[in-house]
Amino acid sequence: MHHDFPDTANSLDRAQAQSSLNAFVTLATADEIRTAAARAPAGVMHAMPVAVKDNIATTTLSTSCGSKILQGWVSPYEATAVTRLRAAGAVIIGKTNMDEFAMGSSTENSAFGRTLNPLDHTRVPGGSSGGSAAAVAAGICRIAYGSETGGSVRQPAAFCGIVGVKPTYGRVSRFGLVAFASSLDHIGVFGATVDDAALGLQVIAGHDPQDATSVEQPVDDYRAEAGMPLAGLVVGVPAEYFPASLDTKIRAKCDRAIDVLRELGAEIRQVSLPHTDLAIPVYYILAPAEASSNLARFDGVRYGTRLPSDDLRGMYERTRSEGFGPEVTRRIILGTYVLSQGHYDAYYRKAMMVREKITEDFAKVFASGVHVLFTPTTPSPAFAFGSKADPLDMYLSDIFTATANLAGVPAMSQPIGLVDGMPIGGQLLAAHFREVDMFRAAFALERALGTEALT
Amino acid sequence: MAVSDADVRHVAALARLAMPAERVPALVRELNGILGHMAVLESVDISSVEDDARSAMPRRDDTVAPVPLMRPLADFAPAPRDGFLLVPRLSTHSQLGASESDGDE
Amino acid sequence: MSTAMIADVTAGYEMVVGLEVHVQLKTASKAFCGCSTDFGAPPNRNTCPICLALPGALPVLNARAVELALRIALGFGFTVNPRSIFARKNYFYPDLPKGYQISQHDQPIAEHGSLDIGLVVDGVPRVIGITRAHMEEDAGKSIHDRYENATAVDLNRSGVPLVEIVSEPDMRSPEEAGAYLRILKQILLYLDVSDCNMEEGSLRVDANVSARPFGQQTLGTKCEVKNMNSFSGVEKALAAEFRRQCGVLAAGGTVQQQTLLWDGHKHEIRPARTKEGSSDYRYFPEPDLPPLVITDAELARVRETLPELPAARRTRYAAMQLSGYDVQELTADPASGPYFEAVLSLHGDAKAVANWVNGEMRATLNETGATWDAAPLVPARLAGLLDLVKDGVVSSSAAKKIYALLLTSADAARAIAEREGLVQVRDDDALAGWVNEVLDENPAEAARFAAGEKKLTGLLVGLVMKKSQGRADPKLVNQLLGSRAAG
Ligand SMILES: [Mg+2]
Ligand SMILES: [Zn+2]
């Protein structure tokens, strides 16, 4: 949809011209960008403008996580992913807006204002990585980085009509990604096309000794999957992702995509992931629990905003209560509750066990010879601002994406058509460290759908 | 087990979050709504599941160099003084004289 | 307060003590980051994004810390868990940067041990049960008395690796607690895993104390006593806290569970500042650190590096017919044994070597403050001196003079003996000359001796030694006189 993509210079112009989207928390200056582009090493991303979510540590620009408590925070160290981007020649033009500490699915929960969906300014861009999705959808840059804990890259990618990839847990280092829920957090990539997303992932993938959960596994050449035939590829279609309640228009677009994959030579197989409906309950116990601990470091002692009080207790409570927004507060309370005395076994421990069952579901299906799974990315297209006032409604918009974070399997979303004039995403999932299978199907589907993806 | 006002206040205290009385009822309602949705987990059979199936953790050499700070602590700390980080004293300490925390509890 | 009064208050009550010992491991860098563990650096000098808990920083475990923890586990004979889990212990305190301490909760690296504390009560050797040993990181320091109305935080210690050794409530007196701690420290020093310096905090002891009427099976309410900076301080604190609890019970009251601090200057117990709201730690498995897996192969590797421990060394030395005192002295610290054995290997007479090592050499070290591995006399030079005594070349009194000179000169013992004219005279003519002179000068004694009055031998030998200015070899003089006496 974006034939011409800008160089670093007019990338900034486009960002400024579309400042009303509020896609960025901070933008680099023209001088900074010029210097960075001039000094950029001759890598695969030489002088390519990219946008980075505001929760990934950079030593230039802010890393404020969409939160008052980190307003203006500039990290004294850099995330491993960012170091690899710079080494590849990329130029970071700005830090993108997000739901505070990545807690949300609409980018309405940012202390720095909401981000608009470039395709319809009355609708959310999705979240929590809404700023990065909007930056790519608005043609500001062809590659942007986000983070995922329950679908925060795939869901906004679907809402904004672009490609979003969540790699295998452990494939991309989390060092420098401000933690929300450590066992579920991933750095993810947005691309205008499957190839952009493949390039974006290629550059940051690979083992990092600074992250004990990063895995030593050779990194495949994802872009080489372009044009590969689908003959022999087995695509599973899990019944649980096509409930009777699913919007028939979304189902129709999914069926079209599945037909295309079949015509391309893939074998389509009906499969079952029986514990899918438990993903949201498990996710909303584990994620807040880990978050309540991960966000304890924001105490006003060593960095960030401190609100004065003559008593330590008062300083803690003022700093944290006034520094965190309502959704973050809600999740800290929920997470602290499920970990507290008398509740741990009933909630946290039980959720950990059920998480294993969800992981087993995927293991069984992939062990049965299925290479990739195809599902809708979201139960609806981008919704209107303020339309999900009840937190539980908002949480349920992650229903098709949270499973991949719980199981740690790679997953991606790509445009497969319009519903009510707004794009919807088709999701591909693969086995651990089998991103290549996912990309092979995605490249073929993107090519075969062509402009149909916009209808 | 339903969440009570007291639970919310207790948990807020543990999390060092001020909890104005007027916010409690809404949070109690929301938490019960969310946790109600979690009840489905009770019925799941997890007998076959082993605890913590994660694989072994890597270890690093004792002699690696620390990750450098591009800016010194005193540049970004809210209240640096003589190299220390200052915080308001715990109210329970104010009348007490010399002594330091023993660090680990 | 008079001992009589103490006896009154505590009479009829039994002290029950369990100890938690935090051992700071001897690593170059912290448990989860590359920062130095050096003691005494300027405040917050040894900090980085990880131990400052900056947003996005992640921990990676120090392999050396695991190795030292395994040395402790194997050295004390604990059971090592093939999989142990790091957990987050959540509480807010200014010197705890992440808002949680990375520790081990329900799956520690080692469990189920015991320690013979070398005391015998009612004919039964006292063996104290050890519940667990787990790895964890230290917190920083909060200094409350340096600035007006402010607490000063220093995070140099934040993240330093510790092993916490938790005993069963098996000790019944301050003496038993003291013995437990001294044996524990001795073995830790042999294992070379920690400096065990209580002043610098590399060894910290928290005590759980309770009192109950003798014969009662159930435990009384326990209180935790912290802040002791010496073993004798621990013993005093236990006695004081026991006295306090007995007082409460004797007055019909009930002991309230609480944490108390020992004031080493005032020699008194006072309530600790409570760490507000820190009662519910919300432990859960640390998601940033997968399980710690210990293979049998790794255990075997570590076992091979274990040094000889005090008990084994004591047995070996006792088998050399050394006195109990000598064995105790030679095994008290890890270093005197090797010095003793180095001299022994060159000289051969264990008793003689032990006498000199525990006598002169230990005294010299105490005066000079030198260590055994850098002793002012290398083993060969001391052995050389002992050889001279054994071969009768010098007398033991002369040897003491030579020892002093060995310390101040590079010459060998024999050279000094000759230079100083301390070599014993063993030449028959010279000895006969002195014997004849003595007999001539003391005709009466000579006659009685010749008549067979053997008991005069000592007197005559003494006179000969005097005439020879101590240079005659007393053995030979004896023989010579013997040959003059009537058979
Ligand atoms: Mg501890
Ligand atoms: Zn550090």
Side-chain angles (χ1 to χ4, degrees):
Chain A
M1 73 211 257
H2 300 289
H3 39 281
D4 72 312
F5 257 94
D7 63 17
T8 44
N10 51 36
S11 169
L12 181 63
D13 301 341
R14 287 192 187 182
Q16 282 157 343
Q18 300 176 86
S19 59
S20 63
L21 291 176
N22 196 32
F24 290 86
V25 173
T26 24
L27 274 173
T29 65
D31 280 358
E32 288 165 343
I33 289 178
R34 211 175 296 113
T35 323
R39 298 209 185 117
V44 286
M45 283 189 171
H46 180 257
M48 184 188 283
V50 299
V52 173
K53 192 177 180 178
D54 205 31
N55 63 347
I56 301 173
T58 49
T59 49
T60 61
L61 307 175
S62 70
T63 304
S64 51
C65 300
S67 181
K68 254 199 283 181
I69 210 162
L70 278 179
Q71 186 153 18
W73 169 248
V74 177
S75 177
Y77 80 100
E78 195 165 66
T80 301
V82 171
T83 305
R84 290 179 181 183
L85 276 177
R86 296 193 198 275
V91 174
I92 296 168
I93 60 157
K95 301 299 288 291
T96 58
N97 197 19
M98 58 185 281
D99 286 301
E100 182 175 10
F101 286 103
M103 295 178 188
S105 307
S106 65
T107 317
E108 291 168 288
N109 302 337
S110 170
F112 311 119
R114 63 196 195 181
T115 294
L116 308 184
N117 187 317
L119 309 178
D120 176 347
H121 293 188
T122 70
R123 298 180 193 242
V124 303
S128 64
S129 311
S132 288
V136 172
I140 293 165
C141 48
R142 68 188 320 140
I143 294 172
Y145 292 86
S147 73
E148 269 228 6
T149 306
S152 287
V153 167
R154 286 162 292 157
Q155 183 254 22
F159 282 10
C160 294
I162 59 174
V163 177
V165 175
K166 178 201 90 68
T168 308
Y169 187 80
R171 166 50 83 208
V172 172
S173 171
R174 293 185 296 116
F175 188 74
L177 169 64
V178 181
F180 160 13
S182 314
S183 75
L184 298 157
D185 291 344
H186 301 64
I187 289 181
V189 190
F190 293 95
T193 65
V194 173
D195 185 60
D196 295 332
L199 170 61
L201 176 58
Q202 198 79 52
V203 168
I204 61 169
H207 176 254
D208 174 17
Q210 302 274 30
D211 174 359
T213 62
S214 123
V215 178
E216 256 173 308
Q217 273 267 348
V219 179
D220 303 298
D221 182 354
Y222 306 126
R223 303 179 82 183
E225 295 300 315
M228 292 289 216
L230 296 195
L233 190 85
V234 180
V235 178
V237 179
E240 294 76 7
Y241 288 74
F242 297 86
S245 58
L246 180 63
D247 180 332
T248 53
K249 303 197 211 73
I250 292 179
R251 175 184 297 269
K253 300 299 181 187
C254 287
D255 291 342
R256 181 177 68 179
I258 292 165
D259 291 341
V260 168
L261 289 168
R262 187 184 291 108
E263 287 152 20
L264 290 166
E267 177 196 333
I268 307 300
R269 222 183 262 178
Q270 296 302 317
V271 298
S272 171
L273 299 161
H275 297 91
T276 301
D277 61 340
L278 300 174
I280 291 300
V282 168
Y283 177 84
Y284 279 96
I285 289 170
L286 297 185
E290 292 184 23
S292 70
S293 178
N294 283 329
L295 271 58
R297 68 186 57 195
F298 302 104
D299 58 6
V301 173
R302 298 164 311 287
Y303 51 82
T305 310
R306 170 191 294 193
L307 292 172
S309 166
D310 44 19
D311 163 64
L312 178 66
R313 183 68 178 240
M315 187 278 277
Y316 278 151
E317 294 192 342
R318 278 200 69 200
T319 297
R320 291 170 58 78
S321 304
E322 298 175 41
F324 293 137
E327 181 59 24
V328 172
T329 301
R330 181 181 297 116
R331 297 208 198 182
I332 292 175
I333 297 276
L334 174 58
T336 306
Y337 178 81
V338 298
L339 286 175
S340 63
Q341 242 159 36
H343 305 300
Y344 178 85
D345 287 336
Y347 289 116
Y348 187 85
R349 193 159 177 289
K350 186 67 184 267
M352 287 289 271
M353 302 289 228
V354 177
R355 176 184 191 169
E356 286 305 316
K357 305 286 280 184
I358 291 168
T359 309
E360 282 170 19
D361 283 355
F362 283 101
K364 285 190 189 125
V365 169
F366 290 123
S368 75
V370 171
H371 298 103
V372 298
L373 297 166
F374 183 89
T375 79
T377 306
T378 60
S380 78
F383 44 86
F385 285 106
S387 62
K388 297 220 188 292
D390 176 354
L392 198 49
D393 290 350
M394 184 69 83
Y395 297 174
L396 289 169
S397 65
D398 295 337
I399 191 159
F400 298 147
T401 48
T403 48
N405 299 78
L406 290 166
V409 297
M412 66 189 288
S413 176
Q414 68 191 110
I416 57 165
L418 301 182
V419 166
D420 308 331
M422 288 303 286
I424 58 138
Q427 175 172 236
L428 289 162
L429 305 95
H432 290 104
F433 298 102
R434 292 300 299 169
E435 282 86 357
V436 277
D437 297 336
M438 188 171 81
F439 275 111
R440 175 173 298 199
F443 274 115
L445 183 60
E446 176 185 55
R447 187 143 164 233
L449 278 176
T451 55
E452 277 186 68
L454 307 175
T455 63
Chain B
M1 68 204 93
V3 182
S4 69
D5 291 23
D7 292 332
V8 167
R9 276 192 234 92
H10 167 67
V11 163
L14 280 177
R16 298 299 187 269
L17 292 166
M19 190 48 63
E22 64 273 18
R23 284 203 60 190
V24 175
L27 270 166
V28 170
R29 218 178 313 111
E30 288 162 1
L31 259 59
N32 280 316
I34 296 161
L35 290 172
H37 194 78
M38 313 293 167
V40 293
L41 296 184
E42 287 160 24
S43 55
V44 183
D45 168 29
I46 40 104
S47 48
S48 62
V49 179
E50 60 166 306
D51 231 333
D52 202 337
R54 295 179 295 167
S55 57
M57 110 164 97
R59 306 174 205 170
R60 56 136 183 111
D61 195 70
D62 188 21
T63 57
V64 298
V67 176
L69 287 168
M70 302 303 183
R71 292 184 296 139
L73 178 59
D75 263 31
F76 55 80
R81 179 153 161 199
D82 311 331
F84 290 102
L85 299 163
L86 291 202
V87 296
R89 196 181 283 164
L90 255 172
S91 54
T92 43
H93 290 55
S94 43
Q95 71 279 26
L96 279 154
S99 95
E100 71 183 27
S101 101
D102 73 327
D104 171 71
E105 299 227 309
Chain C
M1 141 179 343
S2 82
T3 50
M5 247 190 74
I6 299 162
D8 290 342
V9 188
T10 60
Y13 292 105
E14 177 181 47
M15 176 188 287
V16 176
V17 177
L19 295 175
E20 295 172 7
V21 178
H22 287 94
V23 181
Q24 186 183 113
L25 299 178
K26 238 192 221 180
T27 55
S29 64
K30 295 183 178 181
F32 300 111
C33 66
C35 289
S36 164
T37 56
D38 289 347
F39 179 83
N44 295 302
R45 173 69 52 83
N46 299 339
T47 57
C48 75
I50 295 156
C51 56
L52 287 172
L54 296 189
L58 293 173
V60 181
L61 181 59
N62 182 341
R64 179 68 179 159
V66 177
E67 191 185 333
L68 295 180
L70 289 176
R71 278 174 77 82
I72 292 175
L74 295 175
F76 284 93
F78 302 157
T79 307
V80 173
N81 288 325
R83 277 169 79 83
S84 54
I85 305 291
F86 283 92
R88 293 185 180 181
K89 180 181 182 179
N90 296 282
Y91 66 93
F92 282 86
Y93 207 70
D95 58 27
L96 190 71
K98 297 185 293 297
Y100 54 85
Q101 176 196 29
I102 300 178
S103 183
Q104 294 185 311
H105 185 46
D106 46 18
Q107 288 179 68
I109 189 167
E111 297 176 276
H112 316 308
S114 65
L115 188 61
D116 184 332
I117 59 173
L119 295 181
V120 175
V121 175
D122 308 332
V124 185
R126 297 290 289 130
V127 176
I128 304 306
I130 289 173
T131 318
R132 55 190 273 140
H134 66 258
M135 299 182 70
E136 61 184 25
E137 62 179 333
D138 209 341
K141 285 185 176 178
S142 296
I143 300 160
H144 301 295
D145 59 341
R146 186 182 175 112
Y147 299 105
E148 189 58 25
N149 304 323
T151 293
V153 179
D154 174 5
L155 297 175
N156 283 343
R157 205 178 63 184
S158 147
V160 165
L162 304 174
V163 162
E164 179 174 348
I165 301 173
V166 182
S167 89
E168 293 287 312
D170 285 354
M171 286 156 275
R172 294 293 175 266
S173 67
E175 297 67 32
E176 290 188 2
Y180 173 88
L181 291 169
R182 289 180 182 91
I183 299 266
L184 194 79
K185 177 179 177 179
Q186 183 187 46
I187 295 174
L188 289 167
L189 289 173
Y190 268 66
L191 290 168
D192 194 26
V193 292
S194 171
D195 298 332
C196 296
N197 181 331
M198 281 186 94
E199 288 67 34
E200 293 185 359
S202 57
L203 192 76
R204 291 199 296 277
V205 180
D206 303 337
N208 291 305
V209 200
S210 63
R212 64 180 173 190
F214 277 105
Q216 176 180 312
Q217 288 312 302
T218 57
L219 294 172
T221 307
K222 69 176 182 192
C223 292
E224 189 175 32
V225 188
K226 294 168 170 280
N227 203 45
M228 294 80 75
N229 54 15
S230 72
F231 290 165
S232 58
V234 173
E235 293 168 326
K236 293 196 191 82
L238 289 176
E241 172 57 8
F242 180 58
R243 205 179 304 130
R244 185 189 71 83
Q245 292 185 16
C246 292
V248 172
L249 295 172
T254 57
V255 173
Q256 299 303 318
Q257 181 154 6
Q258 60 176 313
T259 300
L260 303 122
L261 296 181
W262 171 248
D263 184 325
H265 309 291
K266 298 204 189 90
H267 285 242
E268 64 184 28
I269 295 268
R270 57 173 156 77
R273 311 137 335 219
T274 49
K275 294 193 174 180
E276 303 173 28
S278 65
S279 49
D280 183 347
Y281 291 124
R282 289 154 286 136
Y283 283 99
F284 71 101
E286 165 59 282
D288 289 328
L289 296 171
L292 174 60
V293 174
I294 309 293
T295 64
D296 293 348
E298 177 174 18
L299 275 183
R301 269 200 306 284
V302 174
R303 196 176 273 109
E304 274 166 22
T305 70
L306 287 185
E308 179 182 48
L309 295 178
R313 189 171 288 177
R314 280 194 296 268
T315 317
R316 203 157 51 81
Y317 289 178
M320 300 176 180
Q321 314 309 324
L322 296 180
S323 70
Y325 168 84
D326 280 337
V327 171
Q328 212 46 51
E329 288 292 293
L330 289 174
T331 55
D333 61 281
S336 47
Y339 184 89
F340 162 75
E341 292 182 42
V343 180
L344 180 61
S345 66
L346 298 162
H347 175 65
D349 178 350
K351 183 75 198 122
V353 175
N355 286 340
W356 279 83
V357 170
N358 285 332
E360 272 67 16
M361 185 48 74
R362 199 171 286 278
T364 306
L365 291 191
N366 291 341
E367 288 154 23
T368 60
T371 62
W372 285 104
D373 24 339
L377 274 195
V378 295
R381 302 190 74 213
L382 181 57
L385 175 59
L386 300 197
D387 289 345
L388 293 184
V389 179
K390 185 169 73 188
D391 302 345
V393 177
V394 302
S395 67
S396 14
S397 52
K400 300 248 187 318
K401 297 199 192 80
I402 298 169
Y403 174 85
L405 295 164
L406 278 170
L407 294 173
T408 56
S409 91
D411 303 343
R414 177 174 284 278
I416 295 171
E418 279 159 5
R419 191 202 323 137
E420 301 294 319
L422 294 168
V423 175
Q424 299 193 108
V425 175
R426 324 190 65 204
D427 159 64
D428 293 348
D429 300 351
L431 294 174
W434 285 322
V435 169
N436 294 337
E437 287 180 37
V438 166
L439 293 176
D440 295 350
E441 292 162 8
N442 305 278
E445 288 74 6
R448 285 160 54 200
F449 181 70
E453 207 173 320
K454 286 264 189 329
K455 68 172 176 345
L456 288 169
T457 312
L459 171 84
L460 295 168
V461 170
L463 292 168
V464 171
M465 292 309 291
K466 187 156 178 232
K467 186 171 282 298
S468 70
Q469 289 131 20
R471 287 159 56 223
D473 180 331
K475 278 195 242 62
L476 296 182
V477 174
N478 241 305
Q479 287 165 21
L480 203 54
L481 281 165
S483 66
R484 303 293 184 85

